[in-house]
Each structure stands twice: as C-alpha cells, then as structure tokens.
Amino acid sequence: MADAFRRSSATRITAVIPYFGYARQDRRPRSARVAISAKVVADMLTVVGIDRVLTVDLHADQIQGFFDIPVDNIYGSPVLVDDIEDQRFDNLMIVSRTSAAWCARAVAKSLGVDLAIIDKRREKANHSEVMHIIGDVEGRTCILVDDMVDTAGTLCHAAKALKEHGAAKVFAYATHPVLSGRAIENIENSVLDELVVTNTIPLSAAAQSCSRIRQLDIAPVVAEAVRRISNEESISAMFR
C-alpha cells in the first residue's frame, strides 16, 4: 500500500500501526544468534517510503531509535486509567513486574495510589516464575499493569502470588492483547478476576467468549493523534 501511494505521488505517508509487531525482538540477549527483528521491520517501513509512524505503547521506547523517520509513540494508559476510575475500586493498589515498572508507575501516579512490584525469574521463553512481591498487598484490590499480554503465564502466576499474599481481588490491565498459545485457557483456569485490554489487536472468537476478558476502545485516542499529525499539532500535549 505504501509503495502504491508513493508511486501515486502522495505528499506524505504515515503508517498507523497500533501494535508494532516484533517489538520484543529489540536486542540480542547474551549475544544469542537471533535477529533483531524490530530493526528489520523499521528498515522495511523506511525503505518502502513511509514518512512517519504512529504506534501505541512500544514494548521498548528505544525502538524509536531504529527509525530514521519521526515515530509517534502514544500511550494507552489514559484509556486504562479512565476505566479504572470508572470502576471505583476500593483499597486500590497498582502492581507491576520489574521490567514494566515505568508503565505501572505512570498509572499509579495518575490515580494517586500505592505501587507494588513483582520480581520474577523467567526460566525460558514464554514461561515465568514469580519469586517475590515488594509491597504489602494484604486486603488490597490489586491491578496488574503491563503493555501486553502474550500467553498470560506471567499474569496468572502473578495473580496467584498476590492472592496467596492476601490480596482481596486481582485485576489486570494491558494495552495489547496478543493472547497466543494457551492464553485463554490460562486465564480461565487462573484466580484472575478480570483482564481488561484495548482493541489495538482484534480479539479471537475464543477471547471474545471468555467472561474474564473485557476490551476497551482506543480508537478515539488514535484518531486524535492522526488529526494532530495531519494538522501539524503537538502529540505530546495529548498526555500532559
């Protein structure tokens, strides 16, 4: 599509990519012989003639540096925060894994509530083991915040650990519902009270039928960003 637009003399081409694929392949861990696929995707988009990229909640902000064109990384957290406020949870606490603390910290600050951290050790790809909870979750309504949910193994282990440490209820909020493999089965068999996601990725039929999964619409945020790009207005002003 970009090539067709470029060959038709389009003045500017902006790629709106709500979920940036391969975002987790942004490095070579311990010099493993793997591709840095996030960089490959960035190169393909640039070479084909894309002038600007608009995406939502990049897994790692430094991926913007893979591009030689402007990248607007907008946030799904305002949509999540609005829903959390609408639910009027009692005795609320935001919980995050160590590597996603930046996201949870922003949500906790917006809501004016406490933050707890879950330290885990990943044994192998798509598997995780909760090791320790930093913070007192006894009797609290805990909300796990992350940028994406893949197999949901981390969320389910975390929810179990929180309940074992006395949490009254455990909810999870994430921007990208990847939900691969046995994710739906894991969620249905977990102690997680509810998983709330946005529609950056369409839900499968199985996910739509799961009573523990609820989806929010992020289209108005993306639409406002598109309008601002078209009118050459500030994107960062949306999140001040």
Side-chain angles (χ1 to χ4, degrees):
M1 289 189 291
D3 186 67
F5 293 145
R6 183 170 59 86
R7 294 176 187 278
S8 299
S9 302
T11 301
R12 182 175 66 182
I13 304 172
T14 300
V16 181
I17 309 173
Y19 173 64
F20 185 80
Y22 296 96
R24 285 180 294 177
Q25 273 188 265
D26 61 342
R27 64 196 184 284
R28 293 174 62 218
R30 291 176 294 277
S31 297
R33 294 177 178 177
V34 296
I36 303 180
S37 301
K39 170 61 173 171
V40 176
V41 174
D43 286 344
M44 287 193 297
L45 291 171
T46 303
V47 170
V48 81
I50 298 293
D51 296 297
R52 188 167 185 155
V53 171
L54 171 65
T55 188
V56 181
D57 277 352
L58 276 175
H59 188 64
D61 282 341
Q62 58 266 30
I63 291 175
Q64 296 177 68
F66 292 173
F67 291 86
D68 292 324
I69 57 176
V71 176
D72 295 301
N73 179 32
I74 64 174
Y75 304 108
S77 54
V79 175
L80 304 182
V81 168
D82 286 347
D83 187 78
I84 293 172
E85 290 178 334
D86 290 343
Q87 300 304 312
R88 300 185 181 277
F89 293 114
D90 293 324
N91 204 11
L92 184 62
M93 172 177 269
I94 302 299
V95 183
S96 169
R97 55 187 175 86
T98 51
S99 58
W102 59 272
C103 179
R105 191 181 300 115
V107 172
K109 183 178 180 180
S110 297
L111 295 168
V113 300
D114 296 331
L115 174 67
I117 301 293
I118 287 185
D119 181 38
K120 67 182 180 66
R121 182 177 65 216
R122 189 176 295 277
E123 301 293 340
K124 56 182 178 178
N126 291 334
H127 289 77
S128 63
E129 179 182 356
V130 174
M131 299 299 294
H132 187 64
I133 296 176
I134 305 171
D136 184 12
V137 299
E138 179 75 32
R140 307 294 292 268
T141 297
C142 294
I143 294 184
L144 288 154
V145 177
D146 212 335
D147 63 321
M148 69 174 66
V149 184
D150 188 359
T151 63
T154 297
L155 281 182
C156 295
H157 280 91
K160 181 180 178 181
L162 290 169
K163 286 288 182 76
E164 290 174 349
H165 282 73
K169 292 183 178 180
V170 180
F171 299 84
Y173 278 71
T175 304
H176 305 300
V178 180
L179 300 177
S180 65
R182 300 176 59 185
I184 307 303
E185 181 181 346
N186 290 337
I187 292 169
E188 290 178 338
N189 295 331
S190 73
V191 297
L192 195 65
D193 290 282
E194 187 180 46
L195 168 62
V196 182
V197 296
T198 73
N199 56 350
T200 57
I201 301 175
L203 291 181
S204 65
Q208 292 179 26
S209 62
C210 180
S211 60
R212 296 192 186 187
I213 298 177
R214 181 162 57 89
Q215 194 170 44
L216 305 175
D217 185 17
I218 202 171
V221 177
V222 177
E224 175 62 15
V226 170
R227 187 194 68 78
R228 287 171 178 261
I229 290 173
S230 177
N231 295 339
E232 297 185 352
E233 299 175 11
S234 171
I235 296 294
S236 59
M238 292 174 58
F239 305 99
R240 288 174 188 164

